[in-house]
């Protein structure tokens, strides 16, 4: 870790941008190294300005389960504080090639044999190592006959596990900062540097007696006869007293040897080569340090050809000198067992120092014997020192009262190294013994060539932001910062007619909100867009009040609003303690709350539901009510994370305690419960993914028209798409009994249930909770304009729905994949459900004792080209209904379907034998 240099001349305070060689001058190693340091510093600053503090362009360093309770770190690239690192292949935490000395390292947490009881923060830590030809033999040129050349720099990357008591990245990072502080390090989030708090001051050591006039020499300052670079390094620290040992040496302590331990506990060490001369042979009373192999040095073909030496190790003072005949030194005591284990330590190294000063206290002036100098170490804030911190300074006999760099004589200076960085990767937990990522701390970004300035270019871009009217960063999320940016952008850039589209772009990162973002009529024609990937909207901490009960974003009374490219991490709002039983003790979790809006577009967003298996819960990704005409939800993902070990397609929330919907559209509470307000016109749901929820889409509206539900994927949900009328004067269970009576009158055989919407049923509880949920404070339901004349029609086509039973469902029964329930149009002019339905090209699968697809009380329907399968059978192997169509009007066509489970269909209005739809379909009863 130390190199043979004459001095370090680089000083960032001077702001030099390069080194200029001059003819006829001596070439100095310090100048060459300064040029490299200048270029490296400039590169770091460029990357910090371009990438930011930390980020990955390719989803690198993702944390996953690695077998047992080990972790697997995904391949890819990560930028940390302007330093680029890469994993070419996935990395197991328990077998890190850059942490070969993990055994015996107190900062390494061994892979547990049982499930950890708490949460952990997974952190990537980087360290800059100097590597010489002793460590990497490939650096030595054989033609030179022995001497080595230049050394190399290598960034060593290690993944660390830190205990934490929080499930969010911000809180977990504070836990890590406390751990680092105990190690003498302070974390700077702007640069991701782990900066040592230690400081060193060099002072001249005045002689104890008056100088002898007959003996020439310096009264104060450096007493040596050679030009030297002195290195000082913090060694062992006593945690009880805070005292520490201090190693120091000439030649920058650069003399390093490979050694082979002998017998007697490794006390005798054989050097791989002889020292360069007798002056550099280890002497009795001289300090040495035994270092383990720390990081593998592998060639491009994967062959390990060397190991970088550790920064710290076992130090000792030799009682006997080096034996040149056997090339051995003898330590005063045995080495720890892990140093002698070839599996844990494939190579040992010996570094030669000049001396070791034991039991030094902070602030104590400690002389370096024979140098005429003394050093004084302190720590900012009085905290502990960090083992391995080192300082190098040059001294010259020609200028004995000078030290290079001179600032070490003026004020206490931070160490020269080691240079360290850190980046949180994820907060993980092990509930029920299963691995789970509780929060992903990585920031993703799109390379410059992949950035699209916005999804819908404007004809007249504003300022220098392209088509972004305003740009927000994660730092703006605190307080009301994000709300202020949105409000200001609308106020400053909206024309008198309000026709200008205002686009607020969210740069990638995690936006931790202190309060929900509220969008009202003043925000008409606003586009809130996540730029690239990785604009995450979440709650800061875990507030114990109900401020996020109306969602991360609350939208009330807007027109032509667009939200795209945002990752919603749904909040966990404590129970309100009031309301109906289904809400009384339920944690509430809403992403986007919509009330009385028209023309709302939600595109390419992700809605991540929290995993709370031990709580009752009510939640929805998009929760809409009131007059919601023109609602479009396209290209979005609604998903609840699965626990490790659960196969894809399972993991439905417990039916008895959790009610989670991807898209929930229902009535908004009104003073008169008999006249609920809910209208849904011109709706488009396309290309969405729903996974691990109670139901993908549930809509209970009073009037609807022109609803298109296309190309959606539903997997691992209890139910699929449910379009049902509001209860009105009779409950859904009462209406279900009326349907049974209708089926009996029509001679249609209905097996099992039709639709269970009463208490203690998932549909009933979900819709009851949604209807009882309070409306946003700003919502008032204006009298909507009369809708244009159209028949309330619905199209469901090319959807794939595969339902799954709930986790607590003993009978392994789920709900229906599709239910479209109209209602008679004669009750009132406004009380009209679905009147026309096209059900085409869908794949629908479920396992329950009712129809997988139900078309109920829809006057005009076409059911064509679907595959409908019911996996539920009775005790005799007969399948339950696959498809049920009930309607008195008889304007129904059911053709070209593949049905597993006997269908329940009305007769055709033709004479026998053409009075049935069965021959026009493929049926396995």
């Amino acid at each position: 870790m130390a190199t043979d240099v004459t001095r370090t001349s680089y000083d960032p305070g001077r702001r030099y941008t390069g080194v200029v060689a001059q003819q006829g001058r001596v070439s100095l190693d310090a100048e060459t190294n300064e040029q490299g340091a200048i270029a490296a510093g400039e590169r770091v600053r460029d990357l910090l300005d371009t990438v930011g503090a930390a980020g990955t362009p390719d989803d690198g360093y993702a944390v996953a389960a690695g077998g047992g309770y080990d972790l697997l770190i995904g391949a890819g690239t990560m930028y940390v504080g302007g330093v680029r690192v890469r994993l070419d292949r996935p990395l197991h935490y328990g077998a890190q090639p850059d942490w070969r000395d993990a055994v015996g390292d107190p900062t390494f947490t061994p892979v547990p044999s049982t499930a950890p009881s708490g949460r952990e923060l997974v952190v990537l830590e980087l360290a800059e190592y100097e590597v010489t030809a002793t460590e990497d033999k490939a650096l030595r040129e054989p033609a030179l006959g022995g001497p080595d050349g230049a050394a190399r720099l290598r960034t060593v990357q290690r993944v660390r596990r830190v205990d934490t008591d929080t499930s969010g990245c911000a809180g977990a990072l504070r836990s890590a900062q406390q751990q680092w502080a105990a190690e003498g390090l302070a974390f700077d989030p702007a640069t991701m540097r782990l900066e040592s708090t230690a400081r060193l001051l060099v002072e001249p050591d005045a002689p104890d007696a008056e100088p002898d006039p007959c003996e020439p020499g310096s009264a104060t300052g450096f007493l040596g006869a050679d030009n030297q670079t002195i290195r000082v390094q913090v060694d062992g620290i006593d945690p009880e007293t805070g005292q520490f040992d201090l190693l120091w040496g000439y030649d920058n302590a650069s003399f390093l040897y490979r050694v082979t331990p002998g017998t007697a506990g490794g006390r005798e060490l054989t050097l791989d080569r002889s020292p360069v001369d007798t002056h550099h042979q280890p002497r009795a009373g001289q300090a040495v340090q035994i270092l383990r192999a720390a990081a593998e040095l592998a060639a491009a073909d994967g062959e390990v050809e060397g190991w970088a030496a550790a920064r710290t190790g076992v130090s000792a003072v030799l009682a006997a000198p080096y034996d040149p005949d056997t090339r051995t030194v003898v330590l005063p005591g045995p080495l720890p067992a892990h140093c002698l284990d070839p599996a844990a330590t494939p190579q040992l190294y010996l570094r030669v120092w000049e001396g070791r000063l034991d039991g030094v206290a902070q602030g104590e002036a400690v002389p370096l014997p024979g140098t005429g100098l003394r050093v004084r170490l302190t720590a900012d804030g009085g905290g502990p020192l960090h083992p391995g911190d080192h300082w190098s300074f040059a001294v010259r006999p020609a200028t004995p009262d000078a030290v290079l760099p001179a600032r070490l004589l003026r004020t206490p200076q931070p160490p020269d190294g080691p240079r360290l960085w850190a980046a949180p990767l994820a907060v993980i937990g092990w509930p029920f013994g299963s691995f789970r990522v509780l929060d992903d701390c990585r920031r993703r970004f799109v390379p410059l060539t992949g950035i699209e300035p916005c999804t819908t270019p404007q004809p007249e871009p504003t300022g220098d932001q392209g088509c972004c009217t305003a740009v927000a960063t994660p730092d703006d999320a605190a307080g009301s910062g994000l709300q202020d940016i949105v409000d200001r952008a609308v106020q400053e850039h909206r024309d008198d007619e309000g026709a200008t589209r205002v686009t607020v772009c969210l740069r990638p990162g995690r936006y931790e909100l202190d309060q929900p973002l509220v969008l009202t009529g003043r925000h008409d024609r606003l586009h809130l867009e996540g730029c690239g990937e990785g604009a995450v909207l979440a709650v800061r901490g875990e507030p114990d009040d109900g401020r996020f009960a109306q969602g991360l974003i609350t939208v009330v009374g807007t027109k032509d609003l667009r939200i795209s490219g945002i990752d919603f991490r749904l909040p966990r709002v404590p129970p309100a303690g009031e309301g109906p039983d289904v809400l009384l003790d339920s944690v509430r979790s809403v992403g986007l709350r919509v009330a009385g809006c028209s023309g709302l577009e939600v595109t390419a967003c992700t809605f991540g539901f929290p995993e709370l298996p031990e709580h009752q819960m009510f939640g929805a990704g998009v929760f809409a009510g009131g007059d919601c005409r023109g609602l479009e939800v396209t290209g979005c993902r609604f998903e609840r994370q699965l626990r490790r070990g659960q196969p894809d397609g399972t993991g439905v929330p417990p039916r008895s305690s959790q009610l989670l919907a991807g898209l929930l559209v229902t009535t908004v509470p009104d003073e008169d419960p008999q006249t609920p307000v809910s209208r849904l016109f011109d709706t488009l749901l396309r290309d969405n993914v729903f996974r691990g929820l109670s139901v993908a889409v549930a809509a209970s509206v009073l009037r609807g028209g022109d609803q298109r539900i296309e190309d959606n994927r539903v997997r691992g949900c209890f139910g699929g798409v449910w379009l049902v009328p509001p209860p009105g004067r009779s409950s859904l269970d009462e209406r279900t009994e009326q349907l049974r009576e209708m089926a009996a009158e029509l001679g249609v055989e209905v097996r099992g249930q039709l639709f269970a919407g009463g208490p203690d049923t998932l549909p009933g509880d979900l819709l009851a909770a949604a209807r009882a949920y309070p409306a946003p404070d700003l919502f008032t339901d204006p009298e909507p304009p009369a809708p244009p004349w159209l028949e309330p029609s619905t199209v469901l086509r090319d959807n794939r729905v595969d339902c799954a039973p709930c986790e607590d469902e003993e009978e392994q029964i789920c709900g229906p994949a599709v239910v479209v329930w109209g209602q008679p149009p004669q009750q009132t002019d406004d009380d009209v459900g679905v009147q026309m339905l096209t059900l085409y090209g869908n794949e629908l699968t479920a396992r329950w004792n009712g129809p997988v697809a139900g078309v109920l009380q829809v006057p005009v329907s076409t059911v064509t080209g679907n595959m409908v399968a019911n996996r539920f059978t009775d005790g005799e192997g007969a399948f339950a209904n696959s498809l049920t169509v009930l309607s008195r009007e008889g304007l129904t066509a059911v053709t070209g379907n593949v049905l597993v489970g006997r269908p329940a269909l009305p007769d055709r209005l033709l004479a026998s034998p053409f009075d049935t739809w069965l021959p026009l379909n493929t049926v396995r009863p």
Side-chain angles (χ1 to χ4, degrees), residues 234-245:
V234 178
D235 194 31
I237 300 175
D238 187 336
E240 299 294 331
T241 65
Q243 293 182 339
F244 57 92
D245 299 337

mmCIF file of all heavy atoms in Angstrom, residues 234-245:
data_model
loop_
_atom_site.group_PDB
_atom_site.id
_atom_site.type_symbol
_atom_site.label_atom_id
_atom_site.label_comp_id
_atom_site.label_asym_id
_atom_site.label_seq_id
_atom_site.Cartn_x
_atom_site.Cartn_y
_atom_site.Cartn_z
ATOM 1 N N VAL A 234 -1.570 5.279 11.569
ATOM 2 C CA VAL A 234 -2.283 4.832 12.763
ATOM 3 C C VAL A 234 -2.392 3.311 12.724
ATOM 4 O O VAL A 234 -2.816 2.727 11.716
ATOM 5 C CB VAL A 234 -3.680 5.468 12.829
ATOM 6 C CG1 VAL A 234 -4.439 4.957 14.046
ATOM 7 C CG2 VAL A 234 -3.576 6.983 12.865
ATOM 8 N N ASP A 235 -1.996 2.686 13.838
ATOM 9 C CA ASP A 235 -2.057 1.225 13.894
ATOM 10 C C ASP A 235 -3.180 0.809 14.847
ATOM 11 O O ASP A 235 -4.309 1.266 14.709
ATOM 12 C CB ASP A 235 -0.701 0.679 14.313
ATOM 13 C CG ASP A 235 -0.569 -0.822 14.081
ATOM 14 O OD1 ASP A 235 -1.191 -1.319 13.132
ATOM 15 O OD2 ASP A 235 0.144 -1.488 14.838
ATOM 16 N N GLY A 236 -2.902 -0.036 15.805
ATOM 17 C CA GLY A 236 -3.939 -0.531 16.694
ATOM 18 C C GLY A 236 -4.503 0.551 17.597
ATOM 19 O O GLY A 236 -3.806 1.482 18.007
ATOM 20 N N ILE A 237 -5.822 0.450 17.919
ATOM 21 C CA ILE A 237 -6.514 1.420 18.769
ATOM 22 C C ILE A 237 -7.174 0.677 19.913
ATOM 23 O O ILE A 237 -7.853 -0.340 19.712
ATOM 24 C CB ILE A 237 -7.570 2.202 17.963
ATOM 25 C CG1 ILE A 237 -6.902 2.962 16.813
ATOM 26 C CG2 ILE A 237 -8.337 3.172 18.853
ATOM 27 C CD1 ILE A 237 -7.880 3.666 15.897
ATOM 28 N N ASP A 238 -6.967 1.181 21.122
ATOM 29 C CA ASP A 238 -7.613 0.615 22.300
ATOM 30 C C ASP A 238 -8.996 1.242 22.440
ATOM 31 O O ASP A 238 -9.114 2.440 22.718
ATOM 32 C CB ASP A 238 -6.777 0.898 23.547
ATOM 33 C CG ASP A 238 -7.320 0.190 24.785
ATOM 34 O OD1 ASP A 238 -8.529 -0.122 24.818
ATOM 35 O OD2 ASP A 238 -6.542 -0.044 25.729
ATOM 36 N N PRO A 239 -10.079 0.483 22.240
ATOM 37 C CA PRO A 239 -11.416 1.084 22.297
ATOM 38 C C PRO A 239 -11.788 1.587 23.686
ATOM 39 O O PRO A 239 -12.665 2.443 23.816
ATOM 40 C CB PRO A 239 -12.337 -0.053 21.848
ATOM 41 C CG PRO A 239 -11.577 -1.312 22.148
ATOM 42 C CD PRO A 239 -10.126 -0.969 21.966
ATOM 43 N N GLU A 240 -11.148 1.072 24.718
ATOM 44 C CA GLU A 240 -11.481 1.499 26.070
ATOM 45 C C GLU A 240 -10.886 2.862 26.389
ATOM 46 O O GLU A 240 -11.557 3.755 26.907
ATOM 47 C CB GLU A 240 -10.981 0.449 27.078
ATOM 48 C CG GLU A 240 -11.612 -0.925 26.906
ATOM 49 C CD GLU A 240 -13.107 -0.916 27.202
ATOM 50 O OE1 GLU A 240 -13.546 -0.074 28.023
ATOM 51 O OE2 GLU A 240 -13.826 -1.742 26.627
ATOM 52 N N THR A 241 -9.608 3.041 26.082
ATOM 53 C CA THR A 241 -8.915 4.287 26.440
ATOM 54 C C THR A 241 -8.819 5.273 25.295
ATOM 55 O O THR A 241 -8.566 6.456 25.511
ATOM 56 C CB THR A 241 -7.503 3.958 26.930
ATOM 57 O OG1 THR A 241 -6.736 3.386 25.849
ATOM 58 C CG2 THR A 241 -7.553 2.980 28.085
ATOM 59 N N GLY A 242 -8.991 4.795 24.067
ATOM 60 C CA GLY A 242 -8.818 5.662 22.910
ATOM 61 C C GLY A 242 -7.373 5.852 22.517
ATOM 62 O O GLY A 242 -7.085 6.539 21.524
ATOM 63 N N GLN A 243 -6.439 5.254 23.265
ATOM 64 C CA GLN A 243 -5.029 5.349 22.894
ATOM 65 C C GLN A 243 -4.749 4.462 21.695
ATOM 66 O O GLN A 243 -5.454 3.481 21.433
ATOM 67 C CB GLN A 243 -4.151 4.951 24.079
ATOM 68 C CG GLN A 243 -4.229 5.913 25.250
ATOM 69 C CD GLN A 243 -3.309 5.513 26.391
ATOM 70 O OE1 GLN A 243 -2.892 4.347 26.503
ATOM 71 N NE2 GLN A 243 -2.980 6.469 27.247
ATOM 72 N N PHE A 244 -3.685 4.793 20.970
ATOM 73 C CA PHE A 244 -3.400 4.098 19.726
ATOM 74 C C PHE A 244 -1.898 3.900 19.590
ATOM 75 O O PHE A 244 -1.091 4.550 20.264
ATOM 76 C CB PHE A 244 -3.953 4.882 18.537
ATOM 77 C CG PHE A 244 -3.431 6.293 18.454
ATOM 78 C CD1 PHE A 244 -2.303 6.608 17.707
ATOM 79 C CD2 PHE A 244 -4.061 7.324 19.137
ATOM 80 C CE1 PHE A 244 -1.812 7.898 17.642
ATOM 81 C CE2 PHE A 244 -3.580 8.627 19.076
ATOM 82 C CZ PHE A 244 -2.454 8.916 18.328
ATOM 83 N N ASP A 245 -1.534 2.987 18.694
ATOM 84 C CA ASP A 245 -0.139 2.793 18.325
ATOM 85 C C ASP A 245 0.125 3.542 17.026
ATOM 86 O O ASP A 245 -0.770 3.691 16.181
ATOM 87 C CB ASP A 245 0.175 1.308 18.144
ATOM 88 C CG ASP A 245 -0.044 0.518 19.425
ATOM 89 O OD1 ASP A 245 -0.006 1.142 20.501
ATOM 90 O OD2 ASP A 245 -0.258 -0.708 19.341
#
